[in-house]
Amino acid sequence: SEALSFLTSDDAHDLFTRTFNFVQTSQSSDAGARRDAAQVLAAAGHRLSSPELVALASKVRLDAFTKVKKAIDDMIAKLLQDKEDEVKHKDYCVEEINTNERETDLKNRDREETEASIETLKNEIHTLSQELDTLKAEIQTLQTELKRAGEDREAENKDFQDTVADQRATVKLLQKTLDVLKGFYNKKHKGASLVQEDPAGPPPPPGFKSYKKNSGSGGVMGMIQQIINDAKTEEAEAIQAEKDAQAAYESFVKDTNDSITAKQDSITDKSDTKAKKEGELTDSKKDLENIMIEL
């Protein structure tokens, strides 16, 4: 551009005009004029660091001015073309730089978004892992409680069976005793009224009510009948308690199994979600690697 500016400047134009005009009027001064022009061109070439002007200076010394003028014109045309190409190249470079900057900005935005997505996925996977561990621990606790409840129910039922068996054995034994006493007193006092003082008698067995005088049956037989009645009452109460305990146990078993099933379903859903998130995390990490390579 500087060489072109020099060749197309007013000073260069005046120099070449004077030189060519002088050549046309005096051929004897040709060598001197060429020398002067060569010196000007050489000085300009060195000052501007232009090898084209230096080469042109050498050409001026050797060739006639008609050739020199053509060479100058050719050089100017070439320099003009070079300048145009340089402008196009510069515009292309600027456009490429702008394009690269835009692409870099987009890639950086993609990188930031991908990094944020990776962090979110990691947190979600961590949360799901904790929830799965909690659900598994809760299921294990429920299963343990279910087992203990079954063992307790079995022990309670055994106590019930023993209690009922004892009450029934007591009733059976006392009923036989009462039948024997009735038979004995009926034979001994047949046709007469039986008058009997109530004995103090021994204290009632544990779990039975205190003995009361029964004016209807009287004496020992009244006491035995009361024990029989109390035993039957105890048996009925034990049966009802057993029914209530069994119903409560069955309700507990049902509720516990329903809870275990719900937690197992939740584990299945969360495991599927976790697997999906882990796949997304793997893909996001690969995307980030590609983005970093492109950056």
Side-chain angles (χ1 to χ4, degrees):
S1 298
E2 292 179 351
L4 179 60
S5 298
F6 172 74
L7 291 175
T8 57
S9 65
D10 293 339
D11 292 340
H13 181 270
D14 293 341
L15 173 63
F16 295 144
T17 301
R18 289 195 306 272
T19 301
F20 295 143
N21 289 340
F22 181 76
V23 169
Q24 291 175 355
T25 57
S26 176
Q27 294 295 328
S28 62
S29 302
D30 181 51
R34 279 184 291 165
R35 184 176 60 255
D36 293 340
Q39 289 176 351
V40 173
L41 291 171
H46 290 302
R47 179 167 56 83
L48 300 175
S49 300
S50 174
E52 291 87 353
L53 291 179
V54 174
L56 181 58
S58 299
K59 194 172 187 64
V60 168
R61 291 191 184 95
L62 300 175
D63 295 337
F65 271 107
T66 53
K67 295 181 179 180
V68 172
K69 184 175 182 301
K70 183 177 184 307
I72 292 174
D73 291 339
D74 292 342
M75 178 174 287
I76 291 173
K78 182 178 183 305
L79 290 173
L80 287 172
Q81 183 62 43
D82 290 345
K83 182 178 181 180
E84 183 179 352
D85 293 341
E86 182 181 353
V87 170
K88 290 181 180 180
H89 181 68
K90 181 180 179 182
D91 292 342
Y92 170 78
C93 291
V94 170
E95 180 64 25
E96 284 295 308
I97 290 173
N98 292 335
T99 300
N100 289 336
E101 289 179 351
R102 287 194 299 270
E103 291 179 351
T104 299
D105 290 341
L106 291 174
K107 290 298 180 183
N108 281 326
R109 187 176 66 183
D110 291 342
R111 175 182 58 81
E112 293 173 356
E113 291 177 352
T114 303
E115 288 175 342
S117 177
I118 288 174
E119 191 64 24
T120 299
L121 288 169
K122 285 182 178 179
N123 291 334
E124 291 176 345
I125 291 171
H126 178 68
T127 299
L128 287 168
S129 297
Q130 289 182 323
E131 292 175 350
L132 286 170
D133 290 341
T134 300
L135 286 169
K136 291 175 182 177
E138 290 175 348
I139 288 176
Q140 186 174 3
T141 299
L142 289 173
Q143 290 174 336
T144 299
E145 292 176 352
L146 198 61
K147 181 181 178 181
R148 289 176 179 172
E151 293 171 350
D152 292 343
R153 179 84 279 274
E154 184 177 356
E156 290 172 355
N157 182 261
K158 185 178 184 303
D159 291 340
F160 162 74
Q161 297 292 344
D162 292 342
T163 298
V164 170
D166 291 344
Q167 298 300 332
R168 290 177 178 176
T170 299
V171 169
K172 184 178 181 180
L173 177 62
L174 291 176
Q175 189 63 52
K176 287 182 178 180
T177 302
L178 186 60
D179 292 341
V180 170
L181 289 175
K182 285 180 178 180
F184 173 77
Y185 284 116
N186 286 336
K187 289 180 180 179
K188 186 174 181 180
H189 302 286
K190 187 176 180 180
S193 299
L194 177 64
V195 179
Q196 178 178 338
E197 294 296 328
D198 294 339
F208 292 94
K209 299 176 182 178
S210 60
Y211 303 139
K212 295 180 181 179
K213 181 177 180 180
N214 190 318
S215 58
S217 58
V220 174
M221 289 191 297
M223 180 185 66
I224 293 175
Q225 185 62 52
Q226 182 177 342
I227 294 174
I228 291 173
N229 294 338
D230 289 343
K232 290 181 178 180
T233 300
E234 292 289 336
E235 179 183 348
E237 291 176 352
I239 291 173
Q240 185 60 47
E242 170 65 14
K243 288 180 179 180
D244 294 341
Q246 182 63 26
Y249 170 72
E250 291 174 356
S251 177
F252 172 76
V253 170
K254 181 181 181 303
D255 292 343
T256 302
N257 285 331
D258 290 343
S259 180
I260 290 174
T261 299
K263 292 180 185 298
Q264 289 173 336
D265 291 341
S266 181
I267 286 176
T268 300
D269 294 339
K270 290 182 183 297
S271 296
D272 292 341
T273 301
K274 181 184 176 185
K276 182 180 178 181
K277 296 292 184 182
E278 289 172 341
E280 292 176 359
L281 178 61
T282 300
D283 293 339
S284 295
K285 287 181 177 180
K286 290 180 180 178
D287 292 340
L288 182 60
E289 290 177 359
N290 294 331
I291 290 173
M292 298 304 296
I293 291 174
E294 292 177 359
L295 285 173

